[in-house]
Amino acid sequence: MEGNGYLAIWSDLAPEDETDWMHWITREHSVERVGVDGFLACRIFRALGTAANRFFILYELKEPEIVGSPPYLARLNEPTPWSQRIMPRLKNFVRGGGRVVASSGIGQGGLLAVLKLDGKPEWDAVALASELAGLDRIAAARVLLTDEAQTSIQTREKGMRKNDESFAGLLLIEGLDEAAIREALWRLRGRFDPAALDALPLYRLFFSLPKRLLPA
């Protein structure tokens, strides 16, 4: 990941809303967000093997403070007409942003495992990220911690959704294939609930937008 900050978002969609949402997120919303000062890139993933249309969006930020910056909050408080149509349709919305505390590996993987953290990890984040990134066919591992104060700022967009949730942090494992990520998750059984690890859905990348590719 570029930068020291991040913003991560989950949401579910009804099947009848999927095409409209995909056009919105790839043709307007990601362009708008990555265009904000301090936003560097956007990657969008889709969950595999789940009944719901579950999506995960990861924004890379120059600094953690961008989550509460005036330019970004201005966008959140002035949603476009298309955003006003989409936002109320999003279900099981989960959002958090803050600091990248550990990152190891080279490049990015097309498959992703995302583990929510209940709080600041007691284990060594840098050491674990390095260990995971060294496994066969694992591209990278990251540990992210959420800034609750910045994430919880009330905005017009947030008011258009119901029952938003957040998280204390995330462990991301990016791999080249599903078997490699499942092997990496198996190695975490001493730190995380084994049943939760076994049931964890994986996510496949379907769209990315670095800042350098923004329309002129």
Side-chain angles (χ1 to χ4, degrees):
M1 292 177 65
E2 291 187 76
N4 299 316
Y6 78 94
L7 177 65
I9 297 170
W10 276 278
S11 64
D12 292 353
L13 294 166
E16 61 269 22
D17 294 328
E18 186 175 355
T19 297
D20 193 25
W21 179 86
M22 284 190 171
H23 288 172
W24 168 76
I25 195 71
T26 60
R27 298 178 182 181
E28 180 186 89
H29 197 66
S30 61
V31 174
E32 178 190 69
R33 291 299 192 255
V34 176
V36 173
D37 288 345
F39 276 67
L40 302 175
C42 168
R43 287 190 287 162
I44 305 173
F45 299 82
R46 182 173 192 158
L48 303 176
T50 59
N53 291 310
R54 187 71 165 158
F55 294 90
F56 178 73
I57 305 172
L58 181 63
Y59 294 101
E60 301 176 21
L61 311 180
K62 185 176 182 180
E63 301 291 346
E65 294 76 18
I66 301 301
V67 176
S69 68
Y72 177 48
L73 294 179
R75 294 288 179 90
L76 293 175
N77 284 313
E78 295 183 6
T80 68
W82 204 350
S83 293
Q84 292 178 50
R85 184 171 78 238
I86 292 290
M87 286 294 172
R89 301 179 185 178
L90 302 179
K91 309 300 182 183
N92 298 317
F93 197 90
V94 183
R95 176 182 177 275
R99 180 166 55 99
V100 179
V101 297
S103 181
S104 185
I106 299 174
Q108 299 173 336
L111 285 172
L112 178 71
V114 189
L115 291 83
K116 293 181 185 177
L117 306 180
D118 295 329
K120 185 176 180 180
E122 298 179 359
W123 32 267
D124 187 327
V126 173
L128 181 61
S130 178
E131 176 187 338
L132 291 171
L135 297 175
D136 288 345
R137 303 193 307 279
I138 296 298
R142 338 273 187 186
V143 180
L144 318 176
L145 288 182
T146 297
D147 185 317
E148 183 178 349
Q150 292 194 98
T151 296
S152 61
I153 294 173
Q154 295 298 314
T155 64
R156 186 179 174 193
E157 272 196 13
K158 192 169 187 176
M160 295 166 63
R161 302 183 299 264
K162 295 181 179 179
N163 303 319
D164 279 17
E165 297 182 6
S166 191
F167 47 84
L170 299 174
L171 170 60
L172 308 181
I173 305 173
E174 304 188 34
L176 308 185
D177 58 50
E178 184 172 350
I181 293 185
R182 290 297 178 193
E183 171 65 20
L185 292 173
W186 186 87
R187 291 171 178 259
L188 297 174
R189 296 172 82 84
R191 293 186 175 94
F192 295 87
D193 176 20
L197 291 174
D198 292 342
L200 192 73
L202 301 187
Y203 291 81
R204 185 183 302 278
L205 178 70
F206 80 87
F207 179 79
S208 66
L209 179 64
K211 204 176 193 79
R212 61 182 174 80
L213 295 182
L214 285 178

